[in-house]
Amino acid sequence: SVSRGGEDGPGEGNPLSSRSVPAVCTGTDMKLLRPSSPESHYETLRHLYQGCQVVQGNLELTYLPPDADTTFLKDIKEVQGYVLIAENQVSRLE
């Protein structure tokens, strides 16, 4: 993560600084490639997108199991690439 604070350090003394710079994460480029382990695939997606507001790249939600908790997507405001939602068993995205 790159600090974008002023010369005083990242946001010291400025309570708005943490809200002014969105949380950015890197997207994926797996297309419809089937993951070798569905469990680790879900954990990887959750780890990538938890708290993320801006996805630099693609947001690919694929092969999610029926009981997947997708609330980790709730903070995403912008995707700079494409959005792919395919081959999922989960019935809804939160």
Side-chain angles (χ1 to χ4, degrees), residues 5 14 16 28 39 48 76:
N14 184 351
L16 297 177
T28 57
E39 295 80 15
L48 274 174
I76 296 176

Side-chain angles (χ1 to χ4, degrees), residues 45-68:
L45 291 176
R46 191 175 62 76
H47 179 75
L48 274 174
Y49 300 124
Q50 183 81 47
C52 179
Q53 294 175 304
V54 177
V55 179
Q56 284 187 329
N58 310 318
L59 174 60
E60 299 175 325
L61 303 172
T62 58
Y63 304 102
L64 294 174
D67 59 343

Side-chain angles (χ1 to χ4, degrees), residues 4-86:
R4 294 194 178 136
E7 293 178 26
D8 302 351
E12 289 182 30
N14 184 351
L16 297 177
S17 65
S18 63
R19 282 181 260 161
S20 62
V21 177
V24 177
C25 60
T26 303
T28 57
D29 193 22
M30 300 291 290
K31 310 280 192 293
L32 291 174
L33 187 63
R34 188 175 293 276
S36 55
S37 166
E39 295 80 15
S40 66
H41 176 66
Y42 168 75
E43 288 303 319
T44 299
L45 291 176
R46 191 175 62 76
H47 179 75
L48 274 174
Y49 300 124
Q50 183 81 47
C52 179
Q53 294 175 304
V54 177
V55 179
Q56 284 187 329
N58 310 318
L59 174 60
E60 299 175 325
L61 303 172
T62 58
Y63 304 102
L64 294 174
D67 59 343
D69 176 2
T70 58
T71 57
F72 63 87
L73 301 169
K74 68 181 173 53
D75 295 323
I76 296 176
K77 307 279 188 255
E78 177 183 340
V79 177
Q80 295 175 346
Y82 62 76
V83 176
L84 172 65
I85 302 172

